Amino acid sequence: MITDNLIIDFHSHILPGMDDGSRDVETSLEMLRMSGEQGVQIQVLTSHYYPWKEEIDSFCDRRDRSFSALLQKKPSTPQLICGAEVAYFRHMNHADLSKLCVGNGRTLLIEMPFESWTNSIVDDISFLSLDMEYRIVLAHVERFMHYGGNRQKLEDLSSLPIVYQINAEAFLHFRTRRIAVELIKSGYPIILGSDAHNCTSRKPNIAEGRGFIEKRFGSNCLDKMDFTASSLLEGQF
Ligand SMILES: [Fe+2]
């Protein structure tokens, strides 16, 4: 049972050898150390899943092996939960995506296409949410906002029980901060992720992102995000 207001990093590429994130167990351990040092209590491990590269079962087998290799080194904190960052694919609503969900729940982290979203894309996501009852989290939504029409599509999707994830990084640079701030002001359910890939150029950075949010919006805003993330993990969202 997860209690409220844990600090959760909902998006990371820390599992060794799975994707363009951590390349080996040593890197993963260092990333986890950095994350724990920043106060992260639960680290969600969301390796990229690309349906055009492999079957879901093959991905899950690789993920099991990678996770076991990491656990053999007994990382102490944070608590680890496996998931995936699932790249959107047409008619994905007809696939069995349950093995790609976070932990044993129904939360699915989806990476939307880097383009203007069509109505059929929105329909697929709606179907997953309403008919298949997945709890959809859209990964780093700030990256899609400059494509024409996507702001409106995000607004349309917000009538569903969908959560928008923002990368901590977005708050740290002038170029991306405006849109990240705008997303928070919109009142959408939002959670944070580091989307960490390594220990250098894309390192665990939740604390920096949280620091900016607390200064700009106050600790209540962080509490709300933490509550949303905890609710997702508990299947209560
Ligand atoms: Fe990612």
Side-chain angles (χ1 to χ4, degrees), residues 11 13 46 48 85 111 140 195 197 202:
H11 183 166
H13 300 268
T46 53
H48 285 290
E85 180 180 8
E111 183 178 47
H140 43 59
D195 200 5
H197 278 65
R202 299 185 72 183

Side-chain angles (χ1 to χ4, degrees), residues 114-116 141-151 179:
F114 289 86
E115 60 191 29
S116 293
V141 280
E142 72 278 4
R143 290 199 194 166
F144 306 100
M145 291 304 92
H146 64 278
Y147 296 101
N150 284 3
R151 272 191 167 77
I179 186 72

Side-chain angles (χ1 to χ4, degrees), residues 175-190:
R175 200 168 47 82
T176 49
R177 186 178 292 149
R178 189 182 54 80
I179 186 72
V181 164
E182 190 187 308
L183 283 164
I184 288 193
K185 283 183 176 170
S186 68
Y188 298 141
I190 282 176

Side-chain angles (χ1 to χ4, degrees), residues 70-86:
L70 182 56
L71 290 185
Q72 272 183 12
K73 296 289 180 181
K74 298 191 174 33
S76 49
T77 58
Q79 183 188 332
L80 306 177
I81 300 180
C82 281
E85 180 180 8
V86 184

